[in-house]
Amino acid sequence: GVGGASAVAGGLVHPLSPRGKLVFMGLEGLASTNRLIRAASEFGEKIVLRTEIFRIDNQKEPRGVLPKTAKELPHLATWLDVTTDDEQWKLIRERESGIEGALRLHGGCQVVHMPSYLKGLWSACQSTGDGQKKWIQDENFALAGYPWNERLAEYDCVVFAAGAGLFQSSMLDTDIFEKKTQLVRGQSIEMTVDNEDHLVVENALLCGKYVSPLPENNRVLIGATHEYKREPLTRDEVEAELRDRSHAFASAIWTKGSIDQITSGYRVQSNRGKHGRLPIIGSFESRYHSNSWIFTGLSSRGLLYHGVFGDMLSDMIIGRMKENDFADIDWWKKG
């Protein structure tokens, strides 16, 4: 739960694209993630912070897309408009007068506190099956020339799954992956709202950018920037961008809140294909171990995809599934 993009992510679990449509493997991913959340919740508290998300209509999508999604996925999404009689929806519209429509995402769509979830998930892993599970940290790992071949020789296989750190550390041969991915920096803002205005942080809101409640009272996370340049945006630039991109649905928070800190993380973004951005999973040749596998490139869908594609990778490793059994899962090895 410390370091990397996962630890500072907004924690919004849902299967929709930015345009409000169901993504590839969205329902399978949601079901798998919910199973993992339930497992993690047995070992931690305050993992699930909200059990619904309001996907605000910014009136820029083609007319009717969000209502259509509600009709196609009634077990996950409910369309709300100015005639809807709902207490939480009324509170949102009272605070933000320009909002006229939204999807309420439910039925497994939720908000999790990422550090708590990751800690609970690791505890769940430790409790499962036989054998040893150790989380090993060593400052020498980052040293150039570390004898990884010797360190990993005792293992039957090795899965490289450290996200952006795999590429920032030059641990992997970038020639294999540099044309298939890019590193994207994301910065977010943690804010505290005055106690008397605590209702403005009650709900998770999504509309391009997001407002995600934090475990502490009156605190939210607003994110995130998408930065491709080497030099990060300054604090003032982060604030200006996120304020501009979220003010239409979170003006009350910006008016009544104060900035506590800026968080930052990198993610590995895979190239877009006919199924959107699929992760990079499968076997590959590495200089560290003869049976090497990789799991990275989950882009902005880490929470949605980590369970379902993690299951696929496990099946590949134990021989239950071939790498070309699933449509385009080996896309990154082609061309």
Side-chain angles (χ1 to χ4, degrees), residues 204-245:
L205 308 176
L206 176 64
C207 187
K209 302 305 179 184
Y210 59 79
V211 174
S212 183
L214 291 169
E216 303 85 5
N217 290 336
N218 311 323
R219 299 191 69 239
V220 296
L221 182 71
I222 299 181
T225 63
H226 290 73
E227 304 173 38
Y228 300 89
K229 296 180 180 179
R230 182 180 297 274
E231 290 299 320
L233 295 179
T234 66
R235 179 187 177 93
D236 289 343
E237 289 170 334
V238 171
E239 178 182 351
E241 176 177 327
L242 294 182
R243 182 190 293 269
D244 178 66
R245 297 285 301 279

Side-chain angles (χ1 to χ4, degrees), residues 50-107:
R50 298 292 187 276
T51 55
E52 60 183 17
I53 301 167
F54 289 86
R55 184 353 182 138
I56 306 300
D57 183 1
N58 63 11
Q59 302 179 29
K60 294 180 180 179
E61 286 93 9
R63 182 176 296 275
V65 168
L66 298 186
K68 182 180 179 183
T69 297
K71 290 181 179 180
E72 294 174 345
L73 303 169
H75 59 298
L76 294 179
T78 302
W79 173 246
L80 310 172
D81 60 22
V82 294
T83 67
T84 304
D85 184 14
D86 178 87
E87 183 177 350
Q88 288 299 320
W89 174 232
K90 287 181 178 179
L91 288 174
I92 292 172
R93 294 193 63 240
E94 286 174 2
R95 296 193 299 267
E96 309 294 344
S97 58
I99 294 177
E100 298 183 357
L103 285 178
R104 183 203 284 116
L105 304 177
H106 48 80

